[in-house]
Amino acid sequence: MGAYKYLEELYKHKQSDLLRFLLRVRNWQFRQLSSVHRASRPTRPDKARRLGYKAKQGFVIYRVRVKRGGRKRTVRKGNTAGKPTNQGVKQLKWQRGLRSKAEERVGRKCGNLRVLNSYWVAQDSTYKFFEVILVDPQHKAIRRDPRINWICGAVHKHREIRGTTSEGRNNRGIGKGHKFNNTIGSGRRAAWKRRNTLHLRRYR
């Protein structure tokens, strides 16, 4: 086994003494830093490389801190001014994951970069910490590399906001196989609408 494989196996045992100590120290360190900041190198190089990161010009790592928990409805004094079915304020859950939220925050901060992927690095009772891999689409090292220059196309602007990153597709319920039949054809609503619309063709 190579070094990256050892790292991968290590992270599968997060309750081991070594990793418990390491994560506790990292949590403390990350809490002292600002909520969105650039990391000089990936905390988990094996995971970053599996998700497309290369230690070359044009690739950037940002670390993000996201508050854990559900999403409270933002209404004044809990007054939703609606029907009883929609009067809930607490115990509501956001329809996307916290990793998706982390990607979006970085994408807003670094508007000139493209979000490639992201991964978990640490968490405590209050926060989750993620690292986001970004790519500079203007850099010649990226534009000339046939493996990654697909991301330079204009259709890949703000992938994180449109739900086309790995986490975004996961949140939308998109995948391959019989388990994802409800989202065939872009998404859940599109699939439902297409299957429930009466198509009366002129020549049929």
Side-chain angles (χ1 to χ4, degrees), residues 5-22:
K5 191 67 180 172
Y6 274 108
L7 279 174
E8 184 184 345
E9 291 300 317
L10 189 64
Y11 264 90
K12 288 177 182 175
H13 301 89
K14 292 186 176 64
Q15 288 189 322
S16 63
D17 289 349
L18 171 65
L19 221 56
R20 282 176 68 181
F21 173 74
L22 201 59

Side-chain angles (χ1 to χ4, degrees), residues 28-41:
W28 177 86
Q29 181 193 2
F30 295 160
R31 276 199 304 269
Q32 314 309 313
L33 303 168
S34 58
S35 58
V36 180
H37 60 274
R38 183 175 175 179
S40 58
R41 68 190 72 231

Side-chain angles (χ1 to χ4, degrees), residues 4 17 28 57 86 106 112 125 148 158 165 179 185 194:
Y4 288 131
D17 289 349
W28 177 86
Q57 291 178 323
N86 296 321
V106 179
N112 61 325
S125 61
I148 192 65
H158 290 290
T165 59
K179 294 182 180 179
R194 189 178 66 250

Side-chain angles (χ1 to χ4, degrees), residues 10-76:
L10 189 64
Y11 264 90
K12 288 177 182 175
H13 301 89
K14 292 186 176 64
Q15 288 189 322
S16 63
D17 289 349
L18 171 65
L19 221 56
R20 282 176 68 181
F21 173 74
L22 201 59
L23 291 173
R24 192 167 76 238
V25 173
R26 279 189 185 150
N27 267 314
W28 177 86
Q29 181 193 2
F30 295 160
R31 276 199 304 269
Q32 314 309 313
L33 303 168
S34 58
S35 58
V36 180
H37 60 274
R38 183 175 175 179
S40 58
R41 68 190 72 231
T43 306
R44 298 174 63 185
D46 59 316
K47 182 69 170 173
R49 283 179 60 83
R50 269 180 283 147
L51 297 178
Y53 173 79
K54 298 283 185 201
K56 59 184 259 183
Q57 291 178 323
F59 282 87
V60 187
I61 297 281
Y62 265 77
R63 199 177 293 120
V64 202
R65 186 177 73 219
V66 183
K67 204 149 193 181
R68 294 177 65 176
R71 183 186 180 276
K72 186 182 172 187
R73 183 169 280 153
T74 53
V75 287
R76 186 168 172 272

Side-chain angles (χ1 to χ4, degrees), residues 107-161:
R108 282 220 186 88
K109 194 174 180 75
C110 311
N112 61 325
L113 302 178
R114 304 272 161 87
V115 173
L116 179 62
N117 221 321
S118 62
Y119 54 93
W120 176 94
V121 282
Q123 69 184 50
D124 59 15
S125 61
T126 313
Y127 301 107
K128 279 198 178 190
F129 301 93
F130 300 97
E131 284 184 0
V132 183
I133 306 165
L134 298 125
V135 180
D136 183 358
Q138 283 83 35
H139 203 289
K140 286 286 184 270
I142 301 298
R143 297 180 80 89
R144 289 169 182 163
D145 186 348
R147 291 190 202 91
I148 192 65
N149 64 4
W150 56 268
I151 208 166
C152 300
V155 291
H156 296 294
K157 289 179 181 177
H158 290 290
R159 301 169 69 233
E160 71 287 349
I161 290 174

Side-chain angles (χ1 to χ4, degrees), residues 80-125:
T80 55
K83 297 283 193 294
T85 187
N86 296 321
Q87 277 178 348
V89 175
K90 297 183 177 180
Q91 298 189 1
L92 303 176
K93 280 75 182 171
W94 202 44
Q95 293 301 301
R96 282 156 51 196
L98 294 180
R99 187 153 73 92
S100 174
K101 186 180 284 189
E103 289 177 354
E104 187 177 328
R105 286 184 183 171
V106 179
R108 282 220 186 88
K109 194 174 180 75
C110 311
N112 61 325
L113 302 178
R114 304 272 161 87
V115 173
L116 179 62
N117 221 321
S118 62
Y119 54 93
W120 176 94
V121 282
Q123 69 184 50
D124 59 15
S125 61

